[in-house]
Amino acid sequence: MNLNQFLLALHLTPGLGKAKEAKVIAALNQQGNPEQGPYPWPFLTLALVLGLEPGSQPYRQIQASYEWSLDKALAYQGGWLTYFDADYPKRLKEIYQPPLVLFYQGDFRALTLPSLAVVGARAASPYGLAALRQLLPDVVKTGISVVSGLAKGIDVMAHQMTFHHGGVPVAVIGTGLDRAYPANHRLLQDQVGQQGLLLSEYPVGSLPLRSHFPDRNRIIAGLSSATLVIEAKHHSGSLITANLALQENRQVLAVPGPINAPLSVGPNELIQAGALPVLTSSDIIKAVSCLT
């Protein structure tokens, strides 16, 4: 078993989660060169890294889960990479609790491009869609990749426009790569995997659980040079993504909107808090170029 298979087995182990995976990353980083480590690790060593008391019930539970996951990791056939792979996105390594493993379909060269996350309301208004049509084409034509989550509304339209103008889409989803959510986005998701890059933190078979989407949002924000918000209510997933981007010292851009429109509350509040107001495509291009 090599390092990647060992890390995949950890990632597939129920009960670990992002915090414990972060401890594993920290322990391997301290080691210097993880490839020279004693793999497969004895489970006792792993348990000590995770802060588990040998012989305790949590220890026994994680050990049983790990041994089950080890068989799955050795048989796994899909595309995946770990934090320690050369192709792992550099920007993503900089975030708090980066994914230990990413499952993918497509071309990883998409992550070498300057990138813009585009997020917004699922029930986008005509104003939001018009803003996207006006702003995005020139951005795409400069070679900036568009990162989004393939959700309804702004997300999916951003990727459709990216294809239409010959750009490179990067989609981060909250399910396994074999599933599409919503289901009617399957064709577009497959197209992203063929002509761009499709990413997920979740293995094949994973369902669209509610908890997956905030975690997915941190990856969207972490992959991107800047995040553009087009329409969002006061409490929304788009604002979660924007706040995660701010926490990682990434530029947040927002399209201002009418003060009496519920979907403009989020972008207007972001601008009031210091986000860059976007009025033209040049505003976006300049922001991404300065940060790349």
Side-chain angles (χ1 to χ4, degrees):
M1 181 175 65
N2 60 31
L3 172 63
N4 278 14
Q5 290 169 325
F6 167 71
L7 295 176
L8 178 59
L10 293 188
H11 186 67
L12 296 176
T13 300
L16 283 188
K18 300 191 304 296
K20 288 186 172 66
E21 289 189 351
K23 289 184 178 181
V24 172
I25 289 172
L28 293 179
N29 274 330
Q30 289 175 1
Q31 182 174 293
N33 185 353
E35 288 288 359
Q36 296 178 356
Y39 299 104
W41 273 15
F43 185 79
L44 178 59
T45 305
L46 170 64
L48 293 175
V49 167
L50 298 179
L52 300 175
E53 183 68 29
S56 66
Q57 184 177 1
Y59 173 94
R60 293 195 302 271
Q61 288 175 339
I62 294 292
Q63 182 179 27
S65 297
Y66 170 75
E67 290 171 355
W68 173 82
S69 298
L70 191 56
D71 291 335
K72 290 188 66 177
L74 293 174
Y76 197 85
Q77 297 295 317
W80 51 277
L81 81 166
T82 75
Y83 178 93
F84 297 97
D85 278 305
D87 286 336
Y88 191 93
K90 182 179 178 181
R91 285 191 289 262
L92 203 54
K93 282 192 174 186
E94 299 169 354
I95 73 169
Y96 177 65
Q97 295 183 346
L100 179 65
V101 171
L102 284 171
F103 302 95
Y104 71 91
Q105 180 184 344
D107 191 340
F108 256 89
R109 288 179 298 177
L111 298 182
T112 65
L113 299 172
S115 57
L116 174 73
V118 179
V119 297
R122 284 175 168 80
S125 74
Y127 171 77
L129 298 178
L132 192 60
R133 291 189 188 99
Q134 180 173 326
L135 294 169
L136 201 58
D138 286 345
V139 174
V140 169
K141 291 172 185 176
T142 65
I144 295 172
S145 67
V146 173
V147 184
S148 205
L150 278 181
K152 293 179 181 178
I154 294 295
D155 283 32
V156 72
M157 185 163 181
H159 275 143
Q160 289 170 338
M161 292 183 64
T162 301
F163 279 119
H164 182 73
H165 294 283
V168 177
V170 177
V172 186
I173 60 175
T175 66
L177 297 181
D178 60 327
R179 297 178 181 269
Y181 181 79
N184 61 357
H185 290 178
R186 164 58 68 186
L187 184 61
L188 181 62
Q189 180 171 307
D190 289 345
Q191 191 178 6
V192 171
Q194 293 166 7
Q195 297 177 238
L197 181 63
L198 185 65
L199 295 171
S200 177
E201 194 174 9
Y202 304 102
V204 166
S206 296
L207 298 173
L209 302 181
R210 187 170 184 174
S211 61
H212 289 181
F213 294 95
D215 288 344
R216 175 206 62 179
N217 291 346
R218 89 188 194 284
I219 299 176
I220 292 172
L223 283 173
S224 307
S225 308
T227 295
L228 173 66
V229 180
I230 302 178
E231 294 197 316
K233 292 183 179 180
H234 180 61
H235 295 292
S236 71
S238 299
L239 294 190
I240 291 173
T241 307
N243 287 323
L244 289 167
L246 288 171
Q247 290 170 23
E248 302 300 339
N249 295 316
R250 309 294 167 84
Q251 179 70 66
V252 173
L253 319 174
V255 176
I259 60 174
N260 62 344
L263 290 178
S264 294
V265 172
N268 289 347
E269 287 182 345
L270 287 171
I271 292 168
Q272 194 172 40
L276 180 68
V278 168
L279 304 179
T280 68
S281 301
S282 296
D283 295 333
I284 301 171
I285 295 167
K286 288 176 183 176
V288 174
S289 298
C290 288
L291 294 165
T292 301

